[in-house]
Amino acid sequence: MNENLKNLLLEQSHEIGFSMVRICAPSDIPSAASKLDSFLKKNHHGSMNWMAERIEWRGNPASLWPDAKSIIMLADNYSPNHDPLHILAHRNLGAISVYAQNKDYHEVVKKKLKKLGRWLIQQENSTQIKVFVDTAPVMEKPLGAAAGLGWQGKHTNLVSRDLGSWFFLGAIFTTLELPKDTGEEDHCGSCSACLDICPTSAFPAPYELDARKCISYLTIEHAGPVELSLRDQLGNRIYGCDDCLAVCPWNKFAKEANEIGYHARTELKAPKLSELVTLDDNSFRKLFSKSPIKRIGRNRFVRNVLYAIGNSGNVELIDSAKKLQLDLDPVVKDAADWAIAKLKGSTNG
Ligand code: B12
Ligand code: SF4
Ligand code: SF4
């Protein structure tokens, strides 16, 4: 049953730049719907209301596209060549999560998926495909686990014995029936490094995340002011957070990403808060034109930079924060007030 085609597919996907490819069927994640339901009932999705929409499709890929027979799950390695935790001690600098230090992975992965999809159609004319990376109601992690790319670690992301945890996921749904792979076992064992390091205690239990507390959610998805009780823990993280991934012992097997689009841009490795805080709409759009950061807009980004300034302990940054006390955006203004008060030592926030 298409064994030969599968072998060619593996070769082709490596040629296109994917690090790993595995196959499952749309019906292979029977417990995902109930776990999604429990996640949503606990309100762990916070303001990401789109997660509660089209849950029928999200929880059951077989209903998303009934004609699909196989799902090709792909891993795209973005492993850094530096320790992402190092910058956290340098409080005058902003920590941008590894995945966002260069091109937007949605674009990079989608391009590769489309290329592989076109190749597949050339092999079998009648084949239909749909490609997904992140933006559709598809639960990519359980699918990746069912296909055998890795297992969902206690931090909930996929971990692979070969790649560690620095890889993006992409999916190709196809009408072709391809030989399936087997799922990967959980190799977390008694380790709890990711749970222990989380600055905001965002894991109510192993394998469960309350996104409302996750710094990735707070700095990227959450509009409006961040709760006072969580601002200190943001430290200098101004876009996303890598802590739970960075401490995973399986990352000792990770090899630096080949994809040049994921190599950190020099100016985003260790940017100065004093410079980022001066960004206006134009300069923000210019700096982040091909980056995933562009999506959050100047105001939310500057809000994050101001929280980091508040946490910097550097009173010399008070003047730059003062300039934003008159900002037109009330959330930026609130963040500037908070940063100044914190630096002056007059807040318990
Ligand atoms: C929403 C979302 C987020 C949210 C919520 C994260 C989350 N864990 O759900 C926020 C904004 C916080 C986020 C953060 C990050 N994200 Co994100 N995110 C997504 C997105 C769009 C959907 C994820 C989802 O469906 N969540 C809903 C929950 C219910 O799903 P789940 O985590 O699989 O839930 C499982 C567990 O909770 C478990 N479970 C639930 N209850 C119970 C009970 C028991 C007893 C057990 C054992 C298990 C269990 O089972 C559930 C189903 O398998 C996916 C893309 C996609 N379409 O899949 C990317 C995705 C998961 N993110 C990704 C990345 C890289 C990140 C960050 C590392 C980015 C960063 N550096 O800031 C962080 C990591 C934070 C973390 N520890 O998860 C990658 C992960 C790649 C990988 N190797 O796994 C994805 C797949 C994007 C991609 N295409 O590559 N993300
Ligand atoms: S990304 Fe950061 S804040 Fe979110 S769960 Fe991981 S360690 Fe915690
Ligand atoms: S840090 Fe430990 S517990 Fe967390 S995912 Fe990695 S192996 Fe599992």
Side-chain angles (χ1 to χ4, degrees), residues 31-32 35-36 38-39 42 48 50-51 58 78 97-99 105 133-136 138-142 152 155-159 165 167-170 203 206-209 211 214 216-217 220-221 239-242 244-245:
S31 65
K35 285 175 179 166
L36 173 65
S38 129
F39 176 85
K42 291 177 194 161
M48 296 183 289
W50 46 269
M51 293 194 77
R58 195 177 286 280
Y78 71 96
S97 148
V98 172
Y99 90 84
Y105 73 90
V133 49
D134 215 349
T135 43
V138 172
M139 291 179 82
E140 294 166 1
K141 292 184 286 181
Q152 281 192 259
H155 53 36
T156 80
N157 275 8
L158 273 197
V159 188
S165 44
F167 59 92
F168 301 119
L169 296 173
F203 300 106
Y207 307 100
E208 286 185 64
L209 176 78
C214 173
S216 183
Y217 167 83
I220 302 172
E221 303 292 338
Y239 189 92
C241 171
D242 289 323
C244 54
L245 300 193

Side-chain angles (χ1 to χ4, degrees), residues 142-269:
L143 283 172
L149 287 179
W151 70 98
Q152 281 192 259
K154 289 179 188 170
H155 53 36
T156 80
N157 275 8
L158 273 197
V159 188
S160 142
R161 284 196 287 180
D162 301 322
L163 298 176
S165 44
W166 305 108
F167 59 92
F168 301 119
L169 296 173
I172 302 182
F173 284 44
T174 172
T175 49
L176 259 182
E177 196 147 351
L178 290 163
K180 292 200 300 179
D181 292 295
T182 44
E184 174 65 291
E185 276 169 42
D186 185 326
H187 295 283
C188 283
S190 59
C191 175
S192 62
C194 53
L195 310 180
D196 301 339
I197 199 168
C198 179
T200 51
S201 306
F203 300 106
Y207 307 100
E208 286 185 64
L209 176 78
D210 182 350
R212 291 170 301 181
K213 286 185 162 184
C214 173
I215 292 171
S216 183
Y217 167 83
L218 293 170
T219 54
I220 302 172
E221 303 292 338
H222 176 74
V226 168
E227 222 176 88
L228 282 173
S229 62
L230 291 169
R231 291 186 191 179
D232 286 358
Q233 287 93 300
L234 298 177
N236 60 344
R237 298 172 194 78
I238 54 171
Y239 189 92
C241 171
D242 289 323
D243 296 25
C244 54
L245 300 193
V247 294
C248 182
W250 289 96
N251 281 326
K252 61 175 177 279
F253 300 108
K255 290 182 193 66
E256 193 192 348
N258 283 330
E259 170 60 62
I260 265 167
Y262 299 146
H263 291 183
R265 275 164 61 185
T266 317
E267 66 274 31
L268 300 187
K269 270 187 187 166

Side-chain angles (χ1 to χ4, degrees), residues 269-289:
K269 270 187 187 166
K272 290 190 179 125
L273 296 175
S274 59
E275 290 173 9
L276 295 176
V277 78
T278 64
L279 291 172
D280 60 15
D281 270 332
N282 277 339
S283 47
F284 172 83
R285 273 204 292 268
K286 205 167 156 206
L287 181 61
F288 295 119
S289 77

